[in-house]
Amino acid sequence: MNMRRAFYIGRFQPFHLGHYSIINSIARDVDELVIGIGSAQKSHEPRNPFTAGERVMMIRHALEDADTTHYAIPIEDLQRNAVWVSHIISMTPPFDIVYSNNPLVIQLFREVGIEVRQPPMYHRNNGYSGREIRRRMIANEDWKSLVPPAVADVIEEIDGVGRMKQISKTDID
Amino acid sequence: MNMRRAFYIGRFQPFHLGHYSIINSIARDVDELVIGIGSAQKSHEPRNPFTAGERVMMIRHALEDADTTHYAIPIEDLQRNAVWVSHIISMTPPFDIVYSNNPLVIQLFREVGIEVRQPPMYHRNNGYSGREIRRRMIANEDWKSLVPPAVADVIEEIDGVGRMKQISKTDID
Amino acid sequence: MNMRRAFYIGRFQPFHLGHYSIINSIARDVDELVIGIGSAQKSHEPRNPFTAGERVMMIRHALEDADTTHYAIPIEDLQRNAVWVSHIISMTPPFDIVYSNNPLVIQLFREVGIEVRQPPMYHRNNGYSGREIRRRMIANEDWKSLVPPAVADVIEEIDGVGRMKQISKTDID
Amino acid sequence: MNMRRAFYIGRFQPFHLGHYSIINSIARDVDELVIGIGSAQKSHEPRNPFTAGERVMMIRHALEDADTTHYAIPIEDLQRNAVWVSHIISMTPPFDIVYSNNPLVIQLFREVGIEVRQPPMYHRNNGYSGREIRRRMIANEDWKSLVPPAVADVIEEIDGVGRMKQISKTDID
Amino acid sequence: MNMRRAFYIGRFQPFHLGHYSIINSIARDVDELVIGIGSAQKSHEPRNPFTAGERVMMIRHALEDADTTHYAIPIEDLQRNAVWVSHIISMTPPFDIVYSNNPLVIQLFREVGIEVRQPPMYHRNNGYSGREIRRRMIANEDWKSLVPPAVADVIEEIDGVGRMKQISKTDID
Amino acid sequence: MNMRRAFYIGRFQPFHLGHYSIINSIARDVDELVIGIGSAQKSHEPRNPFTAGERVMMIRHALEDADTTHYAIPIEDLQRNAVWVSHIISMTPPFDIVYSNNPLVIQLFREVGIEVRQPPMYHRNNGYSGREIRRRMIANEDWKSLVPPAVADVIEEIDGVGRMKQISKTDID
């Protein structure tokens, strides 16, 4: 099987149109794509509201019509950067190339000699960032235009906005 | 046994008169009270100076004369919000209702369908907060008036103020 | 979306025709199937030779032509049975029903009120068990007839038999 | 407070009349007793069927009429013998003396200079052991005569015998 | 063996001339020195760029010509202050005295009755701090004058400055 | 620095003449030797009686007069074979070659392309094994002739035989 498989990782809190456009652009270069769902053990936190399972749903539904075969794999944090690449490799189908704009991810893969490419990030100018989407959810501003429709459906089904608002309330002590 | 058992959780760093008044108000509605001592594995930190064992002592001595049966149970953090409720349930006698003002605790229990009530928090106006008490310990201001006398005794016995001051010194690097 | 989604978990060391026939039989009753890859953090052990990523590959390739949508999700052990069901739920798309013949899995899901069905296990009579396959690999006996052809390919690509033999050698001390 | 506090630890799977008689004999020598519930994170295993919370219930109900003040504290395993004594000390009210017949517990406390006494174990001759009770539960033999009546009540309430039988079924692979 | 052995702990990110001068001053008072490399599991973080192994190299090379026997021991964090001293003791040769200026380290050892001395810290006035060195690496300022030549060699060999710069880039989300 | 550095790992429970002769034979081929002390977090178990710190002492004293520079580094278990090599690499100075007779260690290093050599094991015929030494300690048979004199001294200083006997007593339940 002389196919080309790429790895792309994110926290996807939530999966948005920026991720979607990056994946589409990667898909043009490879046969299969492994999507790592980082910090899989985290949820119900202001920066990480959604569970890994909910994020698997978002990704699978958003990419339903994509031509490229993709694998959505939850990856738990190990809190040990020096073994992180091995951890990724053990949890995923083998890949030839990594796409990432995260400086640490780039450094870790390069140190072990794996090729890393940086996908274009034009989309951040347009608010396509998890942080911005989470802020809008709390502020009752429009966030649905920043995610694929299938993701908005998943978030509504689980009342993700209600959860986001509740866990963002401050508590003292 | 047709009894009503409630669950109430806090870090109790330290146990103060605000906690005491909440427990008294809960006690009027239930037969037994399970008191979860959160972040049980933490101690000797500016925000968490006391060990779980020291906090068990504070609670047991402060509630010595209470009529309601109570259980003081240390609960270690799992760092996985999605399994936290199951973790609580596995460590405690079964309960019917949760009392909490913590937004995350409220969300987590409600998502699995357990009733949560919010006890009145009038006391925070009066300085009854762990943060304020820890600040006063370091600043040599009066803190004893904010805790039950039995708690002040426990803290003195272990030289809790000395510990508080020492671990709050800043270190660089 | 009024669809019916089932959950089925195994260690898949390796994925064999017994698993394959169970999945086919489950597929007749549901719309989607979540396949949990248990003990995901284990590999290179006599009972657990393959990594989670290798097992994802086996499953995806073996089910390439299946009609039912399936999700292959690595699940790491938490070593806490009491929170295991919550852990599963947090890592997977939501499901209505569990298929399992593992007595502990059955007990844990039933205690929280989730329906469990036991798929037929006729295949064990025919040697379709991970233990038997691993034994044959070491003994140079035929094992390929017990797994889907795609799984045999994956195992050959990674020299799984060589690994199996090497890690099964005994060491003293 | 010139009181004498003892520490006694067990897994209490389940709490039985042997434990009960040891505690009564310790109680004659001390003012307060801290009961550590070991391997608190384990449950639903053939050797550890009951959760920590269920064991807290057993102990509290069985000792309801005891004169000595006691604390029942769940203690999670750390899997590091060298720090185990510190872990115990951090989770419990301070104690002067340890009662144990477990060779490792005796060694660990003695190495740090804490006095350990070995309570009489006459009861094991009479079947008062967790292993024997668990065996009888599975074999449909009488086990209730080996535990305090309050413990039998707790086990019945949670259908502990049903759980014990189910998780003891063997599974291959 | 009537020798005097001391313990000194740091993160050594990186090992610098301040550490070097402290170790020289301790060496005058003791026969052997155990150097604990704290947060051993951390690396590739802005505050902790170097692995434990890299830090072992720095220390061993920098002290090559020292007369005092020293042991460089990686110490992983346990995230439980109450057992930290036991953890240290279990990982190191026995010592009589601790040298530290870290307020928490001082408190933890003193609580268990181990003598702690505070070495002079005159050097911080001169920029001999890990934070300052890491800042200079990123800013392309002179940092080599703050570390022993052998440490500069190790850092160059692994392109530590390149790593430092890369992992310090900010990423959003 | 064009030097050749080797890695050798063992549990060293305790360090014995078999280890000593292997190290001497490796030393002829390399400039420096990194000695990994495996299962560093374990102690006070029948198979792992000694702490990592005690094992560091044994190794350093036994090799006091060796010409080859050596590093004794405690290595904690991660319970994840797939990341074990990365873990080793992160905790140790860089090495070119591994010496091991452990089948799993050989497999793990070879899978990532690191050269492994198997040192001669003639010594096991002569009782030079940890298991045999631990057995003799309990049975009051001669064990000192199997370890370097410096190791016998360390074990005596900590009453290692007393510990070995105590923790080997059986306990029921």
Side-chain angles (χ1 to χ4, degrees):
Chain A
M1 288 175 288
N2 205 5
M3 61 163 56
R4 193 162 175 78
R5 202 180 283 120
F7 178 69
Y8 174 62
I9 191 161
R11 296 199 342 275
F12 307 117
Q13 293 282 14
F15 186 85
H16 55 62
L17 287 170
H19 301 126
Y20 186 77
S21 78
I22 288 174
I23 283 172
N24 276 342
S25 105
I26 298 174
R28 281 191 288 273
D29 299 336
V30 300
D31 299 297
E32 294 195 352
L33 179 57
V34 181
I35 302 172
I37 300 175
S39 296
Q41 84 288 358
K42 290 193 182 165
S43 71
H44 298 81
E45 298 176 358
R47 277 189 76 234
N48 296 285
F50 305 111
T51 70
E54 290 160 355
R55 291 177 272 164
V56 167
M57 287 288 281
M58 293 177 196
I59 292 168
R60 289 291 291 263
H61 285 190
L63 301 180
E64 213 142 50
D65 303 323
D67 292 329
T68 314
T69 299
H70 62 271
Y71 303 75
I73 311 273
I75 306 278
E76 302 201 8
D77 294 329
L78 282 194
Q79 310 277 31
R80 295 172 175 265
N81 286 331
V83 307
W84 189 78
V85 166
S86 290
H87 177 48
I88 295 291
I89 289 172
S90 77
M91 291 290 162
T92 61
F95 48 82
D96 317 288
I97 186 169
V98 172
Y99 286 80
S100 180
N101 285 302
N102 181 294
L104 176 60
V105 171
I106 294 170
Q107 177 71 13
L108 293 174
F109 277 107
R110 288 201 174 141
E111 282 197 16
V112 297
I114 294 175
E115 186 190 354
V116 184
R117 292 202 195 147
Q118 298 186 242
M121 293 184 69
Y122 54 86
H123 54 278
R124 282 210 174 150
N125 307 324
N126 308 309
Y128 295 137
S129 91
R131 173 177 297 191
E132 172 64 11
I133 292 167
R134 298 190 302 268
R135 189 194 65 71
R136 292 190 187 184
M137 285 177 166
I138 298 170
N140 285 322
E141 298 177 16
D142 163 56
W143 56 270
K144 291 194 185 174
S145 63
L146 301 175
V147 303
V151 171
D153 286 352
V154 170
I155 291 174
E156 238 159 59
E157 218 175 279
I158 61 173
D159 187 17
V161 174
R163 186 194 291 166
M164 200 55 227
K165 286 178 179 173
Q166 172 68 15
I167 62 179
S168 302
K169 288 181 189 161
T170 50
D171 183 50
I172 339 168
D173 219 0
Chain B
M1 287 177 288
N2 204 2
M3 62 164 55
R4 193 164 175 76
R5 202 180 285 121
F7 178 69
Y8 175 63
I9 192 162
R11 297 201 339 275
F12 307 117
Q13 293 282 15
F15 186 87
H16 55 63
L17 288 170
H19 301 126
Y20 186 78
S21 77
I22 288 174
I23 284 171
N24 276 342
S25 105
I26 298 173
R28 281 191 287 274
D29 299 337
V30 300
D31 299 296
E32 294 194 352
L33 179 58
V34 181
I35 302 172
I37 299 174
S39 295
Q41 85 287 359
K42 290 193 182 165
S43 70
H44 298 81
E45 297 176 357
R47 277 189 75 235
N48 295 286
F50 305 111
T51 69
E54 290 161 355
R55 291 177 272 164
V56 168
M57 287 288 281
M58 292 176 197
I59 292 169
R60 289 292 290 262
H61 285 190
L63 301 180
E64 212 140 52
D65 303 322
D67 290 330
T68 314
T69 298
H70 62 271
Y71 303 76
I73 311 272
I75 307 278
E76 302 201 9
D77 293 329
L78 282 194
Q79 310 276 33
R80 294 173 177 265
N81 286 332
V83 307
W84 189 78
V85 166
S86 290
H87 176 48
I88 296 291
I89 288 172
S90 77
M91 291 288 161
T92 61
F95 49 83
D96 317 288
I97 186 169
V98 172
Y99 286 81
S100 180
N101 285 302
N102 181 295
L104 176 60
V105 171
I106 294 169
Q107 178 71 14
L108 292 173
F109 277 108
R110 287 199 175 143
E111 280 197 16
V112 296
I114 295 176
E115 186 190 352
V116 185
R117 291 200 196 149
Q118 297 187 243
M121 294 185 68
Y122 53 87
H123 54 279
R124 283 211 172 149
N125 307 325
N126 307 310
Y128 297 137
S129 91
R131 172 178 297 193
E132 171 66 9
I133 291 167
R134 298 191 303 268
R135 188 194 65 72
R136 292 190 185 185
M137 284 178 166
I138 298 169
N140 286 321
E141 297 178 16
D142 164 57
W143 56 271
K144 292 194 187 175
S145 64
L146 302 174
V147 302
V151 171
D153 287 351
V154 170
I155 290 173
E156 240 159 57
E157 220 176 277
I158 61 172
D159 187 18
V161 175
R163 184 193 292 166
M164 203 51 231
K165 286 178 178 173
Q166 172 68 17
I167 62 179
S168 302
K169 288 180 190 163
T170 50
D171 183 50
I172 338 168
D173 221 358
Chain C
M1 288 177 286
N2 205 5
M3 60 163 57
R4 194 165 173 76
R5 201 181 285 122
F7 178 70
Y8 174 62
I9 191 163
R11 296 200 340 277
F12 307 116
Q13 293 283 12
F15 186 86
H16 55 62
L17 288 169
H19 301 127
Y20 186 78
S21 78
I22 287 174
I23 284 171
N24 276 341
S25 106
I26 297 173
R28 281 191 288 275
D29 299 337
V30 300
D31 300 296
E32 295 194 350
L33 179 59
V34 181
I35 302 173
I37 300 175
S39 296
Q41 84 287 0
K42 291 192 181 166
S43 71
H44 298 82
E45 298 176 357
R47 278 188 75 235
N48 295 288
F50 305 111
T51 68
E54 290 161 354
R55 293 177 271 162
V56 167
M57 287 287 280
M58 294 177 194
I59 292 169
R60 289 291 291 264
H61 287 189
L63 301 179
E64 213 141 51
D65 303 322
D67 292 330
T68 314
T69 299
H70 61 273
Y71 304 75
I73 311 273
I75 306 277
E76 303 201 10
D77 294 329
L78 281 194
Q79 311 276 32
R80 294 172 177 265
N81 286 331
V83 307
W84 189 79
V85 166
S86 290
H87 177 48
I88 296 291
I89 289 172
S90 77
M91 291 288 162
T92 61
F95 48 83
D96 317 289
I97 186 169
V98 172
Y99 286 80
S100 180
N101 286 301
N102 180 294
L104 176 59
V105 171
I106 294 168
Q107 178 71 14
L108 292 174
F109 278 107
R110 287 200 174 141
E111 281 197 18
V112 296
I114 294 174
E115 187 190 352
V116 185
R117 292 201 195 147
Q118 298 186 243
M121 294 184 67
Y122 53 86
H123 55 278
R124 282 217 172 143
N125 306 325
N126 307 310
Y128 297 137
S129 91
R131 174 178 297 194
E132 173 64 10
I133 292 167
R134 298 190 303 268
R135 189 195 65 71
R136 293 190 186 185
M137 285 178 167
I138 298 169
N140 286 322
E141 297 177 16
D142 163 57
W143 56 270
K144 291 193 186 175
S145 64
L146 301 175
V147 303
V151 171
D153 287 350
V154 170
I155 291 174
E156 239 159 59
E157 219 175 277
I158 59 171
D159 187 18
V161 175
R163 184 194 293 167
M164 203 51 231
K165 286 178 178 172
Q166 172 67 17
I167 62 178
S168 302
K169 289 182 189 160
T170 50
D171 183 51
I172 338 167
D173 218 0
Chain D
M1 290 176 287
N2 205 4
M3 63 163 55
R4 194 165 173 76
R5 201 181 286 121
F7 179 69
Y8 174 64
I9 192 162
R11 295 200 340 275
F12 308 116
Q13 293 283 13
F15 187 86
H16 54 62
L17 288 170
H19 300 127
Y20 186 78
S21 79
I22 287 173
I23 284 171
N24 276 341
S25 106
I26 297 172
R28 281 191 288 274
D29 299 338
V30 301
D31 299 297
E32 294 194 352
L33 179 59
V34 181
I35 302 172
I37 299 174
S39 296
Q41 85 287 0
K42 291 192 181 165
S43 71
H44 298 81
E45 299 176 358
R47 278 189 75 235
N48 295 287
F50 304 110
T51 69
E54 290 161 354
R55 293 177 271 163
V56 167
M57 287 288 281
M58 293 177 195
I59 292 169
R60 289 290 291 264
H61 286 189
L63 300 180
E64 211 141 52
D65 304 321
D67 291 331
T68 313
T69 299
H70 62 272
Y71 304 75
I73 312 273
I75 307 277
E76 302 200 9
D77 294 329
L78 282 194
Q79 310 277 31
R80 295 172 176 264
N81 286 331
V83 308
W84 189 78
V85 166
S86 290
H87 177 48
I88 296 291
I89 288 172
S90 77
M91 291 287 162
T92 61
F95 49 83
D96 317 288
I97 187 168
V98 171
Y99 286 82
S100 180
N101 286 301
N102 180 295
L104 176 60
V105 171
I106 294 169
Q107 178 71 14
L108 292 174
F109 278 107
R110 286 197 176 145
E111 281 197 17
V112 296
I114 294 174
E115 187 190 353
V116 184
R117 292 201 195 146
Q118 297 187 244
M121 294 184 68
Y122 54 86
H123 55 277
R124 282 211 174 147
N125 306 326
N126 307 311
Y128 297 137
S129 91
R131 173 178 298 195
E132 172 64 10
I133 292 166
R134 297 190 303 268
R135 189 195 64 71
R136 293 190 186 185
M137 284 176 167
I138 298 169
N140 285 322
E141 297 176 18
D142 164 56
W143 57 270
K144 291 195 186 174
S145 64
L146 302 175
V147 303
V151 170
D153 287 351
V154 170
I155 291 173
E156 239 158 60
E157 220 175 277
I158 61 173
D159 188 18
V161 174
R163 184 194 294 167
M164 201 55 230
K165 287 178 177 172
Q166 172 68 16
I167 62 179
S168 302
K169 288 180 189 161
T170 50
D171 182 51
I172 337 167
D173 220 357
Chain E
M1 286 177 288
N2 205 4
M3 62 163 55
R4 192 161 175 79
R5 200 180 287 119
F7 178 69
Y8 174 64
I9 191 162
R11 297 200 339 276
F12 307 117
Q13 293 282 15
F15 187 85
H16 55 61
L17 288 170
H19 301 126
Y20 186 78
S21 78
I22 288 174
I23 284 172
N24 276 342
S25 105
I26 298 173
R28 282 191 287 274
D29 299 337
V30 301
D31 298 297
E32 293 194 354
L33 179 58
V34 181
I35 302 172
I37 299 174
S39 295
Q41 85 287 359
K42 290 192 182 166
S43 71
H44 298 81
E45 298 175 358
R47 278 189 74 234
N48 297 285
F50 305 111
T51 70
E54 290 162 353
R55 292 177 272 163
V56 167
M57 287 288 281
M58 293 177 195
I59 292 169
R60 288 292 290 263
H61 284 190
L63 300 180
E64 211 141 51
D65 302 322
D67 291 331
T68 314
T69 299
H70 61 271
Y71 304 74
I73 311 273
I75 307 277
E76 301 200 10
D77 294 328
L78 281 193
Q79 309 278 33
R80 294 172 176 264
N81 287 331
V83 307
W84 189 78
V85 166
S86 290
H87 177 47
I88 296 291
I89 289 172
S90 78
M91 291 289 161
T92 61
F95 49 82
D96 318 288
I97 186 167
V98 171
Y99 287 81
S100 180
N101 285 302
N102 180 296
L104 176 60
V105 171
I106 294 169
Q107 178 71 13
L108 293 174
F109 277 107
R110 286 201 175 140
E111 281 197 17
V112 297
I114 294 175
E115 187 190 352
V116 184
R117 291 200 196 148
Q118 298 187 243
M121 294 185 68
Y122 53 87
H123 54 278
R124 282 213 172 147
N125 307 324
N126 307 309
Y128 296 137
S129 92
R131 173 178 298 193
E132 172 64 11
I133 292 166
R134 298 190 303 268
R135 188 194 65 71
R136 292 190 187 186
M137 285 177 166
I138 298 169
N140 285 322
E141 298 177 17
D142 164 56
W143 56 271
K144 291 195 186 173
S145 63
L146 301 175
V147 303
V151 170
D153 287 351
V154 170
I155 290 174
E156 239 158 60
E157 220 175 277
I158 61 173
D159 187 18
V161 174
R163 185 194 292 166
M164 203 51 230
K165 285 177 180 173
Q166 173 67 15
I167 62 178
S168 301
K169 288 180 190 160
T170 49
D171 183 52
I172 337 168
D173 219 358
Chain F
M1 288 176 287
N2 204 3
M3 63 162 56
R4 195 164 172 74
R5 201 181 284 121
F7 179 69
Y8 174 63
I9 192 162
R11 295 199 342 274
F12 307 116
Q13 293 283 12
F15 186 86
H16 55 62
L17 287 170
H19 301 126
Y20 186 78
S21 78
I22 288 173
I23 283 171
N24 276 341
S25 106
I26 298 173
R28 281 191 288 275
D29 299 337
V30 300
D31 300 296
E32 295 195 350
L33 179 58
V34 181
I35 302 172
I37 300 175
S39 295
Q41 84 288 0
K42 290 193 181 165
S43 70
H44 298 81
E45 297 176 358
R47 278 189 75 235
N48 296 286
F50 305 111
T51 68
E54 290 161 355
R55 292 177 271 162
V56 168
M57 286 288 281
M58 294 177 194
I59 291 169
R60 289 292 290 264
H61 285 190
L63 300 180
E64 210 141 52
D65 303 322
D67 290 332
T68 313
T69 298
H70 61 271
Y71 303 75
I73 311 274
I75 306 279
E76 302 201 10
D77 294 329
L78 281 194
Q79 311 277 31
R80 292 173 177 263
N81 286 330
V83 307
W84 190 79
V85 166
S86 290
H87 177 48
I88 296 291
I89 288 172
S90 77
M91 291 288 162
T92 61
F95 49 82
D96 317 289
I97 187 168
V98 171
Y99 286 81
S100 179
N101 285 301
N102 180 295
L104 176 59
V105 171
I106 294 169
Q107 178 71 14
L108 293 174
F109 277 108
R110 287 199 174 142
E111 281 197 16
V112 296
I114 294 175
E115 187 191 352
V116 184
R117 291 200 195 147
Q118 297 186 244
M121 294 184 69
Y122 55 85
H123 55 277
R124 282 213 173 147
N125 307 325
N126 306 309
Y128 296 136
S129 92
R131 173 178 296 194
E132 172 64 10
I133 291 167
R134 298 191 302 267
R135 189 196 64 73
R136 292 190 187 185
M137 285 177 167
I138 298 169
N140 286 323
E141 297 177 17
D142 164 55
W143 57 271
K144 292 194 185 174
S145 64
L146 301 175
V147 302
V151 170
D153 287 352
V154 170
I155 291 174
E156 239 158 59
E157 219 175 276
I158 60 172
D159 189 18
V161 175
R163 184 194 293 167
M164 202 52 230
K165 286 178 178 172
Q166 172 67 16
I167 62 178
S168 302
K169 289 180 189 162
T170 50
D171 183 51
I172 339 167
D173 217 1

